[in-house]
Amino acid sequence: VTTAGVRLPGQIAYTGELKFADIPTGLAAFSKIPVWGAVQLFGFIGLCEFGFAQVKDDIEADCEARMDGNGWDAATKDSKRGIELNNGRAAMMGILGLMVHEKLD
């Protein structure tokens, strides 16, 4: 969003010293975020991961039931899982490429 020129109004910290507009784009933003802001960010991500771990078995069972409901055999299921894994890998490589490109500029 910031690369497109859109900036949030107001302050990022309660002290009022740091505005959202002062935060650079990309990986350089991590050097400007206050310590407790980073703790809050990573804490929230951790809570999301913990919450997902609690319902993981239910989600897997629901996906398996939907695949069975579509009449997919074991080979089709394996094919679809492989496609999904490859899409995830491609997305990770895309993000890695963006990060490398940013550091080279």
Side-chain angles (χ1 to χ4, degrees), residues 4-99:
V6 178
R7 298 287 181 151
L8 294 174
Q11 313 294 327
I12 192 169
Y14 288 119
T15 60
E17 299 169 359
L18 187 60
K19 297 179 182 179
F20 280 107
D22 297 335
I23 302 294
T25 60
L27 296 173
F30 286 112
S31 66
K32 298 288 185 184
I33 296 176
V35 174
W36 287 108
V39 168
Q40 182 181 16
L41 178 69
F42 289 111
F44 176 73
I45 293 170
L47 285 174
C48 289
E49 288 290 329
F50 181 72
F52 176 74
Q54 299 299 313
V55 295
K56 182 179 178 225
D57 293 335
D58 296 336
I59 293 171
E60 287 175 354
D62 181 53
C63 288
E64 193 70 29
R66 287 176 187 226
M67 288 189 287
D68 289 338
N70 287 335
W72 293 352
D73 60 351
T76 304
K77 288 180 189 178
D78 288 341
S79 171
K80 298 291 185 182
R81 288 182 185 122
I83 291 168
E84 187 64 26
L85 282 172
N86 286 333
N87 286 340
R89 290 175 182 138
M92 287 186 280
M93 291 304 295
I95 293 294
L96 180 62
L98 289 172
M99 292 183 340

